[in-house]
Amino acid sequence: EKHLAVLVERGTVLNQEWGKAKLWWARQESVAPAADDEGIDAKVAALQARLPDMKQRAKTVAQALLETKKMATFEQLGEQLQAEQAACVALRERLAAREAAASGELRRSFTPAEAKKLRSAHEKLRKEWQRRKTMLRDKLGEYTEAANKRIPALTEEIGFELDEDVGINSADYGVRCKWPLK
């Protein structure tokens, strides 16, 4: 209060008292008036004119920043590159193995005489398979008539499996023999 009393004596501060309440405020005469109010309005108008452009630029920069954050880092790119190089090496090894096989190291071609011999051996084995399968079907038919049972019950009782039971389709191999199972 002593300092405020000194300022009141000098005349720079005004004092008003209402009972116990005291108020101090600066004298307005000592404050210089604003020199150029119109210049300030022009500056404010110029800044407001630039505001939409600045907001658009800020939005563009923010989008660019988001896209940059989504991009992979150099470490991640390095890891991807190493993985791709390892996959490339593995594929080159597989390609080299296949080229070696195709060049004749692992591949063997048959002469027409050898191919004819293999076809005749296959045909002979196929016919034998068909003959045996037909013979088995006939014998199973005889046994089922004698035992008054059906073929599925008899094959289950004996404990053997047919080709079809183990997933072999005889028709794929040219053997035509239908089983009267049902």
Side-chain angles (χ1 to χ4, degrees):
E1 283 187 35
K2 290 180 183 180
H3 294 291
L4 288 172
V6 170
L7 290 174
V8 169
E9 286 177 17
R10 288 186 192 166
T12 57
V13 174
L14 294 175
N15 183 13
Q16 185 75 36
E17 293 184 24
W18 293 278
K20 291 184 177 181
K22 297 179 182 180
L23 283 176
W24 289 274
W25 64 89
R27 294 180 67 103
Q28 298 297 320
E29 295 87 25
S30 62
V31 177
D36 187 13
D37 284 345
E38 292 178 12
I40 290 176
D41 289 339
K43 287 180 182 178
V44 168
L47 290 175
Q48 284 180 342
R50 289 180 49 199
L51 184 63
D53 182 48
M54 297 300 276
K55 283 184 179 179
Q56 182 61 36
R57 288 175 62 191
K59 194 181 284 187
T60 304
V61 169
Q63 288 175 348
L65 180 63
L66 284 176
E67 290 176 9
T68 304
K69 286 183 179 179
K70 290 179 185 176
M71 294 175 64
T73 63
F74 285 118
E75 292 83 17
Q76 292 170 337
L77 291 175
E79 291 171 4
Q80 287 178 357
L81 179 63
Q82 288 177 351
E84 293 296 326
Q85 286 175 340
C88 187
V89 167
L91 288 173
R92 282 190 181 128
E93 290 173 357
R94 286 178 55 194
L95 179 63
R98 287 185 179 176
E99 286 175 348
S103 69
E105 288 183 42
L106 303 175
R107 191 179 111 208
R108 182 175 181 267
S109 61
F110 298 104
T111 63
E114 289 174 327
K116 184 177 180 183
K117 186 177 178 182
L118 286 172
R119 275 191 218 102
S120 67
H122 176 265
E123 185 63 25
K124 180 180 175 186
L125 290 173
R126 186 191 62 76
K127 285 182 181 179
E128 181 64 23
W129 182 20
Q130 185 171 358
R131 185 183 68 77
R132 288 181 181 225
K133 194 168 182 175
T134 304
M135 186 171 64
L136 177 62
R137 185 196 62 204
D138 293 341
K139 290 296 180 186
L140 275 176
E142 292 173 14
Y143 291 141
T144 55
E145 286 178 15
N148 288 332
K149 292 186 179 183
R150 298 179 70 207
I151 291 179
L154 185 62
T155 56
E156 191 173 316
E157 186 177 314
I158 295 172
F160 70 89
E161 296 176 332
L162 302 172
D163 293 336
E164 289 77 12
D165 294 338
V166 292
I168 298 173
N169 188 2
S170 303
D172 292 344
Y173 298 98
V175 177
R176 308 277 186 238
C177 183
K178 292 185 179 179
W179 289 89
L181 297 178
K182 296 184 180 179

